[in-house]
Amino acid sequence: MLFMTTPLDILSDQFGHNAFRPGQAEIVDYILEGRNVLAVMPTGAGKSICYQVPSQLLDKPTVVISPLVALMDNQAAGLRANGVPVASIHSGQSREENVAQWKAIASGQTKLLYLSPERLMQPRMLAAMRALDPALFVVDEAHCVSKWGPAFRPEYGDLGRLKEMFPNARVAAFTATADEATRKDIASQLFKGQGEVIVHGFDRPNLSLTVAPLSNRTNQLLDWMEAQRGQCGIVYCLSRKNTEKYAEVLRDKGYNALPYHAGLSAEVRFENQERFLAEPAVIIVATIAFGMGIDKSNVRFVYHLNLPSSLEAYYQEIGRAGRDGAPSETGMIYALDDIRMRRQFISDDGSDSDHQMREHRRLDALLGYCEAAKCRRQILMAYFGESSEPCGNCDVCQNPPVLIDATDAAKALFGAIEQTGQRFGSGHVIAVARGDETDRIKQFNHQDLPAFGQAKQPKPWFQGLLRQAVALRYLNVNMEAYGRLELLPKAYDILNAGESFMCKDPTVKRAGSKKVIRAADRYKPDLNSDDTELLSRLKALRMDFARQLGKPAFVVFSDATLIDMVSRKPENRADMLDVSGVGPSKFDRFGEAFLAEIKG
Ligand code: ADP
Ligand code: ZN
């Protein structure tokens, strides 16, 4: 009698996971049935498993096309730690090494080969590939195939030929970011649309979502960080200068914070990245140059000091937190200035007006998210085409905003803008609405306008109102004209058509006056003090192994695995194999040591 190995067997025996995540099993089945697939899943959703599991069940090799050496190396390290043999060919290795890797795949010693698109498409490689007769081509970072996507790569353009050259192989493409048009384009290029397109797992319930208007960047950052002490995370800034400034602010307060931006030398960048991967509780303060290809599963927080460029970018950036599924925090602060700057970037971009229009609309969606009056996650999921329930793990769910009728104040403000000729910035029009007697007002005789002094709310209150009016498209900040404020059609509806203006109460709360329950506290497994102590001993042991191996700690075990270990307290091999993230191969290498540590 023949015992069939199932995908689930491979998942648990080789990778140590007890169950497929939603979406994974479906993709694995499609691949095993011989169908082409494009899977759009966010960072951290577990795309690799979707092709690594079938690769172990197919009778011919799997070839994974990946754009970056760092990505390949990380994947290979992770696989080897699980005892799965893997080959990779790239320019970072000697010729001899590459030849040896080819032998490993050609002889069937390994079933998985990683290489770059430009290498694959070399005529000699293609000829050798024909003899290898792969069962599956995997295109990683598949959005690079499409000119519609955010990062077209010419060397990916050629991959459309694969399907013709290898009619027996199926193609599985993966990306974390592709809107409707881009998906269609990828599927049509890679497999003439003959295959399945799956969008899955955009919901990352373990990530908390918080957005706050700017009051004081340094104080807000330090407040946020206080709750993150001892954790590792990423702080994103817009400018290189600020990455260095805020890294220093954090270092002054005793955090292990390092800057990262494209202006640092390659050595410094490499070293900071390595330290981030290898040491516990390192905080990287970075521009968006940091992140792509970083595979660290226990990043506990991502904090944005500025507005990101779009919801796609934002979701990809916060998606670097909590890839192990354990509770993780994300926060963002944004200001009117950020909106101004983003609009400026789009206008300065020099691309055609259609493109600019699309970009402005994407920015609008992001601003709508920032000013959300209902669950943030619902807004995000709707944007990515998934529906969802209020999450309970965002600041809006936890502290539902009070909506107020601010029609009178809005009329005063919009009236001030209209009556001053739509030629002034926020400071001046607020002063007019409030009836402040500034020199500028006297200079222009604006004290005689009907709107003058029609509202009495404090300045910060008005700034909050104005930010919402800009985010919700009542007002435009005109970048070509030094950021002056202009009325959009919705504002005229308020002024002239009797519409009312409902908004979140802009009253500035004193920081810390209302305690937000952090996701990490609410979901924290109930670890008593003994358990907490055990967890830190296990972390120390993990660090020892990681140092010996010269690999990042998560290659040994993820945080989620250690937490599971602490709550289960396995006493023997069988118990240990029940722990999520422990498979036989990892057990053979690390299991006994961890059992001994748990026994105490
Ligand atoms: P992606 O490529 O989508 O960004 P990865 O493939 O790197 O994500 O997986 C992210 C994390 O999720 C890894 O730590 C991986 O071990 C873990 N993971 C993947 N699938 C499962 C599963 N079925 N059960 C538990 N953990 C999983
Ligand atoms: Zn919510």
Side-chain angles (χ1 to χ4, degrees):
M1 188 163 150
L2 193 69
F3 286 94
M4 291 275 288
T5 310
T6 66
L8 200 56
D9 296 336
I10 301 280
L11 183 73
S12 61
D13 297 351
Q14 303 260 34
F15 296 94
H17 300 313
N18 304 327
F20 282 110
R21 288 183 181 157
Q24 286 180 330
E26 193 185 358
I27 295 167
V28 168
D29 286 346
Y30 283 142
I31 293 177
L32 290 175
E33 285 165 19
R35 289 201 250 179
N36 304 310
V37 194
L38 165 61
V40 186
M41 293 163 85
T43 307
K47 289 186 280 299
S48 325
I49 288 287
C50 299
Y51 64 83
Q52 288 169 349
V53 166
S55 76
Q56 302 304 300
L57 289 165
L58 293 166
D59 52 354
K60 293 281 172 61
T62 292
V63 175
V64 186
I65 301 146
S66 180
L68 289 178
V69 174
L71 283 176
M72 288 187 223
D73 280 348
N74 268 323
Q75 291 281 343
L79 284 161
R80 289 192 186 113
N82 277 313
V84 180
V86 52
S88 58
I89 294 184
H90 61 67
S91 53
Q93 288 169 177
S94 68
R95 209 186 114 72
E96 290 71 35
E97 180 61 16
N98 282 334
V99 170
Q101 297 283 312
W102 178 261
K103 284 199 177 125
I105 188 88
S107 66
Q109 206 182 317
T110 82
K111 305 189 99 179
L112 260 169
L113 170 67
Y114 284 80
L115 84 183
S116 64
E118 54 275 22
R119 262 195 193 252
L120 171 65
M121 299 317 279
Q122 282 166 6
R124 278 189 49 204
M125 181 57 91
L126 283 173
M129 226 16 112
R130 278 203 195 91
L132 195 64
D133 191 20
L136 167 63
F137 283 100
V138 174
V139 182
D140 203 5
E141 309 287 341
H143 53 273
C144 299
V145 169
S146 174
K147 289 197 171 118
W148 295 96
F152 174 66
R153 286 170 175 252
E155 64 278 19
Y156 262 71
D158 262 1
L159 297 178
R161 289 162 51 212
L162 276 181
K163 200 60 202 152
E164 273 162 44
M165 292 188 285
F166 299 91
N168 295 330
R170 62 283 251 173
V171 174
F174 295 88
T175 173
T177 147
D179 60 16
E180 184 87 40
T182 314
R183 280 174 224 158
K184 279 218 177 93
D185 190 34
I186 299 171
S188 105
Q189 291 204 42
L190 288 182
F191 42 79
K192 308 260 174 300
Q194 307 287 304
E196 310 294 328
V197 177
I198 293 162
V199 182
H200 217 296
F202 274 88
D203 194 5
R204 300 273 312 278
N206 63 317
L207 301 185
S208 76
L209 306 170
T210 310
V211 180
L214 172 74
S215 52
N216 175 313
R217 256 197 199 93
T218 302
N219 291 347
Q220 283 173 293
L221 174 64
L222 290 175
D223 274 359
W224 165 269
M225 290 299 306
E226 199 45 49
Q228 312 293 340
R229 266 202 196 273
Q231 308 280 25
C232 122
I234 307 172
V235 175
Y236 281 114
C237 305
L238 213 48
S239 70
R240 295 174 179 187
K241 204 177 87 212
N242 275 351
T243 66
E244 302 198 11
K245 170 177 160 188
Y246 288 105
E248 200 169 311
V249 165
L250 290 175
R251 271 199 307 276
D252 280 350
K253 297 281 174 191
Y255 294 95
N256 191 3
L258 305 167
Y260 189 101
H261 61 75
L264 294 171
S265 72
E267 292 82 56
V268 174
R269 267 183 291 154
F270 182 75
E271 188 191 318
N272 289 358
Q273 176 173 325
E274 288 298 296
R275 288 182 57 189
F276 178 70
L277 291 174
E279 293 173 22
V282 172
I283 296 144
I284 286 275
V285 186
T287 59
I288 50 163
F290 183 78
M292 168 116 165
I294 298 291
D295 182 8
K296 182 175 167 76
S297 67
N298 63 342
V299 176
R300 288 279 73 90
F301 67 89
V302 169
Y303 195 66
H304 281 91
L305 282 171
N306 295 95
L307 190 72
S309 62
S310 65
L311 276 176
E312 285 93 342
Y314 166 71
Y315 208 47
Q316 188 149 21
E317 284 149 21
I318 64 171
R320 294 183 179 127
R323 296 174 71 166
D324 54 10
S328 307
E329 312 288 334
T330 82
M332 185 223 292
I333 44 183
Y334 89 108
L336 203 53
D337 261 354
D338 289 328
I339 306 179
R340 226 179 317 212
M341 193 137 49
R342 286 289 171 198
R343 295 249 181 255
Q344 180 91 58
F345 285 169
I346 297 173
S347 313
D348 290 352
D349 184 30
S351 50
D352 60 83
S353 60
D354 262 13
H355 181 79
Q356 291 198 2
M357 178 86 93
R358 272 204 302 273
E359 292 300 306
H360 280 300
R361 256 194 246 123
R362 287 166 63 182
L363 182 55
D364 292 342
L366 173 63
L367 298 177
Y369 170 81
C370 291
E371 289 296 345
K374 65 170 204 171
C375 173
R376 289 196 199 279
R377 198 172 316 265
Q378 279 186 306
I379 296 179
L380 264 179
M381 291 306 102
Y383 184 78
F384 292 113
E386 280 189 50
S387 63
S388 59
E389 297 297 308
C391 73
N393 193 18
C394 73
D395 53 344
V396 181
C397 281
Q398 290 177 3
N399 263 326
V402 181
L403 287 188
I404 58 163
D405 185 336
T407 310
D408 290 341
K411 275 188 167 162
L413 183 71
F414 300 168
I417 294 172
E418 189 181 31
Q419 292 156 26
T420 54
Q422 311 195 39
R423 286 185 292 120
F424 294 88
S426 59
H428 187 69
V429 296
I430 289 175
V432 172
R434 282 170 37 83
D436 295 338
E437 307 214 344
T438 65
D439 291 347
R440 265 191 120 196
I441 285 182
K442 286 187 202 131
Q443 180 192 343
F444 291 100
N445 281 327
H446 283 163
Q447 70 278 10
D448 299 335
L449 298 173
F452 184 77
Q454 290 302 304
K456 289 286 170 223
Q457 286 86 348
K459 258 188 234 169
W461 188 94
F462 258 110
Q463 281 156 356
L465 180 89
L466 198 112
R467 206 186 51 244
Q468 293 187 57
V470 170
L472 302 173
R473 304 301 286 148
Y474 287 84
L475 300 178
N476 181 45
V477 186
N478 187 331
M479 285 323 305
E480 264 82 63
Y482 311 105
R484 70 191 196 185
L485 290 163
E486 298 166 349
L487 302 175
L488 294 173
K490 277 162 78 177
Y492 288 106
D493 292 344
I494 306 283
L495 283 175
N496 308 324
E499 296 276 317
S500 53
F501 184 85
M502 302 294 292
C503 70
K504 290 189 290 178
D505 185 351
T507 304
V508 180
K509 294 190 201 78
R510 272 190 36 241
S513 62
K514 202 160 190 183
K515 194 94 186 108
V516 176
I517 319 155
R518 313 194 74 90
D521 295 337
R522 290 187 304 119
Y523 291 110
K524 202 172 260 165
D526 284 330
L527 294 187
N528 58 33
S529 61
D530 285 351
D531 284 353
T532 314
E533 193 264 337
L534 174 58
L535 183 62
S536 52
R537 280 194 282 126
L538 296 186
K539 282 190 176 172
L541 181 58
R542 174 177 67 176
M543 200 64 216
D544 290 345
F545 275 115
R547 285 221 183 83
Q548 275 171 34
L549 294 168
K551 291 278 182 245
F554 67 86
V555 168
V556 180
F557 287 128
S558 70
D559 279 6
T561 297
L562 293 189
I563 290 171
D564 199 31
M565 231 180 252
V566 168
S567 58
R568 286 171 188 264
K569 303 209 178 36
E571 294 182 357
N572 51 42
R573 183 172 191 274
D575 292 352
M576 193 61 127
L577 290 176
D578 282 342
V579 173
S580 166
V582 185
S585 158
K586 284 206 175 170
F587 182 85
D588 290 347
R589 304 178 63 186
F590 316 121
E592 293 297 345
F594 279 83
L595 280 176
E597 192 65 53
I598 292 165
K599 216 169 271 167

